[in-house]
Amino acid sequence: MKTLFSFPIFLLCTHLMHSQKVFAVDRDYKADIKVFVANRDYKADLLVYKVNRDYKAQDNRGLWFFTDADYKADKKVYFVDADYKADLIIYVVDSDYKAKWRDASLQHWMW
């Protein structure tokens, strides 16, 4: 009974603590999501802060860690050259507390 109860709790916790490890691919067909980097924060759907350690990239709130191999990543991203080609528009911020979703309806792209 105890095991039966703890398994759903484990699944819920792992879903909520989904990290944001990303890998930049060189072709769009290899990517899970196409991303455009905006030049202003108000144009972005997500404000991203690049962390230097994978354990710092927690939750789905814009803290991204770039991996050195695609199999280590949760999401493979391809950076496009125009916003209309993108699934998600990001802006890179200079502090971790500034990282957040500006358009929460697009959060599903990073789960």
Side-chain angles (χ1 to χ4, degrees):
M1 182 69 172
K2 187 176 184 181
T3 316
L4 187 62
F5 179 72
S6 18
F7 185 71
I9 299 296
F10 171 75
L11 287 177
L12 179 65
C13 289
T14 55
H15 179 69
L16 292 175
M17 296 190 61
H18 196 311
S19 61
Q20 300 295 288
K21 296 178 200 167
V22 297
F23 180 75
V25 295
D26 58 352
R27 300 280 185 248
D28 62 347
Y29 65 86
K30 295 179 183 178
D32 298 320
I33 182 171
K34 294 178 211 152
V35 175
F36 177 73
V37 181
N39 59 355
R40 297 280 187 253
D41 62 346
Y42 67 87
K43 296 179 181 179
D45 304 316
L46 173 63
L47 304 179
V48 171
Y49 180 72
K50 296 179 190 177
V51 295
N52 58 357
R53 299 278 187 246
D54 63 345
Y55 67 86
K56 293 180 180 180
Q58 297 176 3
D59 302 326
N60 186 2
R61 65 181 188 104
L63 299 175
W64 285 12
F65 176 75
F66 283 87
T67 64
D68 58 355
D70 63 347
Y71 66 88
K72 295 178 184 177
D74 298 317
K75 291 289 181 180
K76 290 176 264 184
V77 299
Y78 178 72
F79 291 97
V80 296
D81 58 357
D83 61 351
Y84 66 88
K85 296 178 183 176
D87 300 315
L88 183 66
I89 300 172
I90 67 166
Y91 178 76
V92 180
V93 294
D94 58 358
S95 298
D96 61 347
Y97 70 89
K98 294 179 182 177
K100 66 179 180 179
W101 282 95
R102 298 197 69 235
D103 186 353
S105 68
L106 299 174
Q107 281 184 334
H108 68 277
W109 282 111
M110 294 307 296
W111 283 116

